[in-house]
Amino acid sequence: MRFATAAPVATDSFAPLSVPVDAGLNAVRGDIAAVLSMRHGGPRPVRLRYECVGRADAPVVVVAGGISAHRHVAANAEFPEKGWAEGLVATGRALDPASLRILAFDFIGADGALDLPIDTADQADALALLLDHLGIARLQCFVGYSYGALVGQQFAIRHRERVQKLIAVSGAHRPHPYAAAWRALQRRAVALGQLQCAESHGLSLARQFAMLSYRTPEEFGERFDAAPEVVNGRVRVAAEDYLDAAGAQYVARTPVDAYLRLSESIDLHRIDPAAIQVPTVVVAVEGDRLVPLADCVGLVEGLGPRGSLRVLRSHYGHDAFLKETDRIDAILATAFRSPGESA
Amino acid sequence: MRFATAAPVATDSFAPLSVPVDAGLNAVRGDIAAVLSMRHGGPRPVRLRYECVGRADAPVVVVAGGISAHRHVAANAEFPEKGWAEGLVATGRALDPASLRILAFDFIGADGALDLPIDTADQADALALLLDHLGIARLQCFVGYSYGALVGQQFAIRHRERVQKLIAVSGAHRPHPYAAAWRALQRRAVALGQLQCAESHGLSLARQFAMLSYRTPEEFGERFDAAPEVVNGRVRVAAEDYLDAAGAQYVARTPVDAYLRLSESIDLHRIDPAAIQVPTVVVAVEGDRLVPLADCVGLVEGLGPRGSLRVLRSHYGHDAFLKETDRIDAILATAFRSPGESA
């Protein structure tokens, strides 16, 4: 292991065993102070924040999302606010807290406290540290989407004994050079804002450019068909209200350093698919402008007999995981049923 | 006609008839002061700058390019500097100054002197004014690429009697909403730069984002495959040197208002294809991220019996016209041979 563990801070509390078993949606949160040995910065203090839903004795499934996702996947009885993937974790779904223990966490760096390059390997090691703290020896499955898929790949490589199956949605073994360029320019928009003492303005613009990469021309063609207007002597096109709102919403909840460092982290990701030794289901979206289908095929080919591919066609592109909940749930249900490695 | 003509300023001079006929590459430049009645601003003083190559008595073909193109299409004996579409206008090409008179012009607003919304109709009327000045009654053909294709559509609609054939490359009857959103965000990058005296920085970033829309993931995948580097604590991806150079080159030759107003002008463009009454060849590029093939098909369908479609597959996407000169020349040669309207 490349990380050092500090004494955990017991700010979390587990659900007592006396909680009724049918309270499947019982959820707990906690956070741990730890020291993590980071690839680009050596040992650093980090906080590991998590949310866990389901019975303490059920098989554990980790769910990890994109760089703006967090530990709260979906609303539950304890934490009723909306999560980042509503409908994915619920009674009757493949990710059902009545039969599984669903664990999600905030990525390190998401709190804006780490201003250095963050590797996906660091995230994987942070998760291993979290599992140590929670007394979880092994995951039944790691379900990762976008950045979460990259972290899942690293976890499967670096902590091979701790995960039985990987489901990697919309994330390949390396970023596509075009997508990397797109992200680099978004980071430049933030830098331009910082130069102007308009940091949140720059972050908003970066997010708006990112939205174009998350969605598709097909969706925009349907939603923003109206003619442009001339407002105060400037041309304003139909999508601008939507983009304004997306930028403002993001800025309100995202520290600038969190955005910069997690965006970079995607571009630093490069793994050898052959190094993943656990059964892996790769889910690709045709029409994804950030993670082209061909790159997911490359990942599956590198996985050899351990890999299988599911392809979804969606006009939501990279955001399909968040928007096509029913179809993703069906894919997860099938993937959970397919033979994994024996525990 | 919607424009008013001021007294032309005779800064141009035509090639005298005593110039040897085989000096097919003989070129002249000029500019005219005029008053143009603009759709969003009423009468405005404008300067019309042009370059003309070939014999004065040859049939005239206008060539118009994208918003960063200008009156100098290709190097010639008089003006040996590189043009914006080298190889398209040359001896032995479809656009051969030995047999045609090739006219190109600077778009109004390209000098940065117009800070108001500029319509593609304004550009078409400015060209008509220029033709009046040059004593050209009618064009044999208008070859427009990108923004030039939009101007050509307007010219064919508003000055129907003055053009025999239109070749519209990589430009549809209206912008795609996704491409419009992409351009709107580029204009926001300029606005962010303008906040505090970093105007050229903002313009550079806008151009870099534009480059992603002009090219394709396929090209980037081949050219920028190298792993990222960590430079001064920041991740730098392989395409950033290229993007830096593209931004700097653009800023050196482009007034900010020229960029903003011509970018807007694309988004203001909406015409009814049925209003185009001259034979029109639409050339579309499969893989163009700005002007999807489907939109060019929509244009051709609207043209009815007057329209025909040529499709090119190129990993240069929207920039194919500039990069695939041999293939574009072959398409132009065929289009010139196909029956136009009798003169």
Side-chain angles (χ1 to χ4, degrees), chain A residues 111-170:
Chain A
D111 55 6
L114 289 173
D115 190 17
L116 77 168
I118 300 170
D119 202 279
T120 46
D122 300 327
Q123 301 286 1
D125 292 351
L127 174 61
L129 204 54
L130 175 63
L131 298 185
D132 288 345
H133 170 78
L134 296 177
I136 297 168
R138 197 172 203 214
L139 306 177
Q140 188 184 66
C141 188
F142 186 118
V143 178
Y145 150 67
S146 190
Y147 186 59
L150 318 186
V151 173
Q153 293 163 21
Q154 289 279 17
F155 189 78
I157 292 170
R158 300 170 70 80
H159 306 280
R160 191 239 163 292
E161 74 289 353
R162 302 190 79 158
V163 59
Q164 203 168 329
K165 180 179 283 188
L166 172 63
I167 301 177
V169 183
S170 303

Side-chain angles (χ1 to χ4, degrees), chain B residues 13 21 58 78 106 118 127 134 139 150 153 208 215 235-237 246 260 278 305 338 343:
Chain B
S13 61
V21 171
E78 313 285 333
D106 289 354
I118 300 171
L127 173 61
L134 296 176
L139 306 178
L150 318 186
Q153 293 163 22
Q208 294 172 55
R215 300 303 178 87
V235 172
R236 188 173 171 86
V237 307
L260 288 174
V278 305
S338 73

Side-chain angles (χ1 to χ4, degrees), chain A:
Chain A
M1 300 276 223
R2 295 177 62 249
F3 57 83
T5 310
V9 176
T11 55
D12 60 309
S13 61
F14 286 97
L17 285 176
S18 61
V19 163
V21 170
D22 69 346
L25 293 175
N26 183 45
V28 290
R29 281 184 180 169
D31 64 279
I32 309 159
V35 172
L36 184 70
S37 180
M38 295 181 66
R39 185 169 281 190
H40 294 275
R44 296 276 170 153
V46 293
R47 291 197 80 88
L48 310 174
R49 297 179 178 84
Y50 67 92
E51 182 176 311
C52 210
V53 190
R55 293 199 335 267
D57 60 349
V60 180
V61 173
V62 158
V63 179
I67 62 169
S68 56
H70 44 71
R71 63 180 173 178
H72 187 54
V73 183
N76 54 53
E78 313 284 332
F79 307 106
E81 66 272 21
K82 213 178 149 197
W84 57 268
E86 281 302 321
L88 266 189
V89 174
T91 304
R93 290 295 199 176
L95 294 169
D96 188 340
S99 55
L100 296 170
R101 189 176 173 200
I102 314 292
L103 174 66
F105 56 100
D106 289 353
F107 291 121
I108 58 162
D111 55 6
L114 289 173
D115 190 17
L116 77 168
I118 300 170
D119 202 279
T120 46
D122 300 327
Q123 301 286 1
D125 292 351
L127 174 61
L129 204 54
L130 175 63
L131 298 185
D132 288 345
H133 170 78
L134 296 177
I136 297 168
R138 197 172 203 214
L139 306 177
Q140 188 184 66
C141 188
F142 186 118
V143 178
Y145 150 67
S146 190
Y147 186 59
L150 318 186
V151 173
Q153 293 163 21
Q154 289 279 17
F155 189 78
I157 292 170
R158 300 170 70 80
H159 306 280
R160 191 239 163 292
E161 74 289 353
R162 302 190 79 158
V163 59
Q164 203 168 329
K165 180 179 283 188
L166 172 63
I167 301 177
V169 183
S170 303
H173 49 301
R174 44 162 298 181
H176 192 283
Y178 184 87
W182 206 330
R183 274 184 297 267
L185 294 188
Q186 292 161 29
R187 296 193 290 270
R188 287 177 176 208
V190 174
L192 178 58
Q194 287 175 326
L195 193 71
Q196 310 283 70
C197 304
E199 195 170 69
S200 65
H201 190 149
L203 181 61
S204 171
L205 182 59
R207 175 65 172 186
Q208 294 172 56
F209 272 112
M211 289 311 297
L212 291 191
S213 68
Y214 298 152
R215 299 302 178 87
T216 67
E218 291 71 28
E219 187 201 1
F220 271 58
E222 286 172 20
R223 286 180 69 175
F224 305 116
D225 190 43
E229 293 175 359
V230 176
V231 181
N232 298 326
R234 292 274 162 203
V235 172
R236 188 172 172 87
V237 308
E240 288 189 69
D241 286 350
Y242 164 78
L243 292 167
D244 273 336
Q249 190 182 38
Y250 191 68
V251 164
R253 62 183 159 84
T254 313
V256 166
D257 283 333
Y259 168 75
L260 289 174
R261 294 309 188 172
L262 292 175
S263 167
E264 284 183 349
S265 186
I266 301 170
D267 290 326
L268 283 175
H269 183 72
R270 288 206 169 202
I271 59 110
D272 174 7
I276 299 176
Q277 294 290 324
V278 305
T280 299
V281 178
V282 175
V283 183
V285 177
E286 201 187 332
D288 186 333
R289 302 208 130 197
L290 274 187
V291 184
L293 177 56
D295 286 7
C296 291
V297 170
L299 170 57
V300 171
E301 283 172 352
L303 286 164
R306 291 172 305 286
S308 64
L309 178 68
R310 292 294 303 267
V311 179
L312 189 68
R313 180 162 201 162
S314 168
H315 85 164
Y316 289 114
H318 191 68
D319 270 358
F321 186 81
L322 308 176
K323 307 289 284 183
E324 307 269 16
T325 319
D326 289 348
R327 297 165 72 193
I328 292 290
D329 179 65
I331 287 174
L332 293 182
T334 309
F336 284 171
R337 278 196 302 271
S338 73
E341 194 184 46
S342 59

Side-chain angles (χ1 to χ4, degrees), chain B residues 269-321:
Chain B
H269 183 72
R270 288 206 168 201
I271 59 110
D272 174 8
I276 299 176
Q277 294 290 323
V278 305
T280 300
V281 178
V282 175
V283 183
V285 178
E286 200 188 332
D288 185 334
R289 303 208 129 198
L290 274 187
V291 184
L293 176 56
D295 286 8
C296 290
V297 170
L299 169 58
V300 171
E301 283 171 352
L303 287 164
R306 292 173 305 285
S308 63
L309 178 69
R310 292 291 305 266
V311 179
L312 189 69
R313 178 160 203 162
S314 168
H315 85 163
Y316 289 113
H318 191 69
D319 270 357
F321 186 81

Side-chain angles (χ1 to χ4, degrees), chain B residues 89-310:
Chain B
V89 174
T91 303
R93 290 296 199 175
L95 294 169
D96 188 341
S99 54
L100 297 170
R101 189 176 173 201
I102 313 290
L103 174 65
F105 57 100
D106 289 354
F107 292 121
I108 57 162
D111 54 6
L114 288 173
D115 190 17
L116 77 168
I118 300 171
D119 202 279
T120 47
D122 300 328
Q123 301 287 0
D125 292 351
L127 173 61
L129 205 55
L130 175 62
L131 298 186
D132 288 345
H133 170 78
L134 296 176
I136 298 169
R138 196 172 204 213
L139 306 178
Q140 187 184 67
C141 188
F142 186 119
V143 178
Y145 150 67
S146 190
Y147 186 60
L150 318 186
V151 173
Q153 293 163 22
Q154 290 279 16
F155 189 78
I157 292 171
R158 300 170 70 82
H159 305 280
R160 190 238 164 293
E161 74 289 355
R162 302 190 80 159
V163 59
Q164 204 167 328
K165 179 179 283 188
L166 173 63
I167 301 178
V169 184
S170 303
H173 50 301
R174 45 163 298 181
H176 192 282
Y178 185 86
W182 206 330
R183 276 185 296 268
L185 294 188
Q186 291 161 31
R187 296 194 291 270
R188 288 176 176 209
V190 174
L192 178 58
Q194 286 175 325
L195 272 187
Q196 258 184 34
C197 309
E199 197 170 68
S200 64
H201 191 148
L203 181 61
S204 171
L205 182 59
R207 176 64 173 185
Q208 294 172 55
F209 272 113
M211 290 310 298
L212 292 192
S213 68
Y214 298 151
R215 300 303 178 87
T216 66
E218 291 69 28
E219 186 201 2
F220 271 59
E222 285 171 21
R223 287 179 69 174
F224 305 115
D225 190 43
E229 293 177 356
V230 176
V231 181
N232 298 326
R234 293 275 163 203
V235 172
R236 188 173 171 86
V237 307
E240 288 188 68
D241 286 350
Y242 165 78
L243 292 167
D244 273 336
Q249 191 182 36
Y250 191 69
V251 164
R253 62 182 160 86
T254 313
V256 166
D257 283 334
Y259 167 76
L260 288 174
R261 294 309 188 172
L262 292 175
S263 167
E264 284 183 348
S265 187
I266 301 170
D267 290 326
L268 283 175
H269 183 72
R270 288 206 168 201
I271 59 110
D272 174 8
I276 299 176
Q277 294 290 323
V278 305
T280 300
V281 178
V282 175
V283 183
V285 178
E286 200 188 332
D288 185 334
R289 303 208 129 198
L290 274 187
V291 184
L293 176 56
D295 286 8
C296 290
V297 170
L299 169 58
V300 171
E301 283 171 352
L303 287 164
R306 292 173 305 285
S308 63
L309 178 69
R310 292 291 305 266

